[in-house]
Amino acid sequence: MTHALPGYLCPEDGTRADVRTAPWCCPVCAGPWDLDFTPDPASALEPSAGPNSLWRYAAALPLPGAFSVSLAEGNTPMVPLAERVHAKLDYLMPTLSFKDRGAVMLAEVARRLAPRRVVADSSGNAGAAVAAYCARAGLSCEVFVPEGTSERKTGRIRAHGAAVRVVPGGREAAAEAARAAADGAGVFYASHVFNPYFLHGTKTYVYEIWEAMSGRLPEALVVPVGNGTLLLGAALAVEELGRRGVRAPALIAVQAEAVAPLASAFAAGAQDAEPVAQLPTLAEGIAIPAPPRARQILAAVRASGGTFLTVPDDRLREAQADLARRGLSVEPTAAACWAAVGPLSPTDPLQGRTAVLPLCGAGPK
């Protein structure tokens, strides 16, 4: 039986498109797509009866029918960090980062569309995740990376059978090369920024918290933000669970002090973010100078009653070391939230609220 895939919807101008024939971005404004999909709040959501993966939330996911792509991703544990703060260990995913949540969705969509090849752009975790799930799905995959990307990272991508295309220039140059390739016939662009199916994968992070907390959510969700894929997924889940009567938490977004266009825009009361310089920071994973979904991220944080926090590199380094002393080995970006709200913070941004933060990427791999 063939099941139709929910179509794309542009959040800026309302343009709609069929997933099977749509370009990778809105043809009117060139912005990222949203998905024309809302789960039925009356449908039964019984994750304990589902598989030991994020597919246990099938009733809330936009992929009808049977799925076949999985590496038993999701269902990651939560551990206490402080009296009212828990960490969710998303670095225990199959490819060692939360990006698996979105990558498995993109691979399943691509499997159903049967393209000649899948292309992606990444300098790290997203590339490894897309390569792994394409391998699982039997799809040909190419990942475009900026020059200077370490052999450690490209080696992880190649190990899954994906081709690595090194592009002269920085991260944006690699993205432009991937998008040029995506315009070709028979190509699926597995973009963790522009493709909304990725966001519907990351929203399972919050569904798992809801399940672990017996049908509740904490008073705050603290999330690292660069392109905002985890935060926007969290916002989707909060909205969907709200229709089921679950009280919504505040979204607290964390950026690196060196590259913080969203935090600056939030503080200025702006609806969109101006691009900033690409300065060096330990938190490479969230150092995004011009996030394509800036307007959506800012709106989601404001609507939740949340805020933005920034952390300098010295506190990031200290937080990473503090987590390691607690038995949790994570990459610097994954320490950003603990640096922002943990004991190293000069203030108490949580103000006694219960909170969950993600440790979203493993340390030395």
Side-chain angles (χ1 to χ4, degrees), residues 98-343:
F98 87 95
K99 296 288 177 60
D100 289 9
R101 294 186 184 277
V104 67
M105 296 289 287
L106 294 182
E108 178 66 23
V109 172
R111 183 192 70 80
R112 298 183 187 198
L113 297 178
R116 287 191 293 106
R117 59 182 175 138
V118 174
V119 300
D121 56 277
S122 169
S123 57
N125 290 330
V130 170
Y133 282 93
C134 281
R136 192 68 172 172
L139 296 164
S140 174
C141 178
E142 294 178 70
V143 181
F144 291 77
V145 303
E147 63 181 349
T149 301
S150 73
E151 180 55 39
R152 175 177 58 84
K153 292 180 178 179
T154 57
R156 290 180 64 212
I157 295 169
R158 289 191 178 97
H160 296 303
V164 174
R165 309 296 184 207
V166 179
V167 180
R171 182 67 183 80
E172 187 55 32
E176 289 175 2
R179 293 164 191 169
D183 288 332
V187 178
F188 178 78
Y189 182 29
S191 172
H192 58 288
V193 180
F194 278 80
N195 193 301
Y197 279 94
F198 194 95
L199 305 181
H200 283 267
T202 62
K203 78 181 182 185
T204 60
Y205 168 81
V206 171
Y207 273 93
E208 288 178 14
I209 295 172
W210 165 79
E211 182 183 1
M213 294 183 65
S214 302
R216 296 181 296 109
L217 290 174
E219 294 168 295
L221 291 169
V222 188
V223 186
V225 175
N227 277 309
T229 54
L230 184 54
L231 183 136
L232 290 173
L236 274 172
V238 167
E239 181 183 354
E240 292 168 6
L241 288 168
R243 298 191 193 102
R244 296 175 181 269
V246 179
R247 185 177 179 180
L251 299 176
I252 299 178
V254 179
Q255 294 214 281
E257 190 175 88
V259 185
L262 295 161
S264 297
F266 185 86
Q271 303 301 307
D272 205 347
E274 294 295 325
V276 299
Q278 180 74 76
L279 299 177
T281 174
L282 290 172
E284 293 178 350
I286 53 174
I288 308 298
R293 292 187 183 269
R295 292 175 65 89
Q296 290 178 284
I297 297 165
L298 290 164
V301 173
R302 287 195 175 103
S304 77
T307 191
F308 275 82
L309 304 173
T310 62
V311 290
D313 272 15
D314 59 349
R315 205 184 329 148
L316 265 176
R317 192 179 291 108
E318 292 170 11
Q320 185 185 24
D322 181 67
L323 289 167
R325 287 191 293 268
R326 297 165 185 261
L328 304 165
S329 177
V330 300
E331 63 187 10
T333 299
C337 291
W338 187 233
V341 304

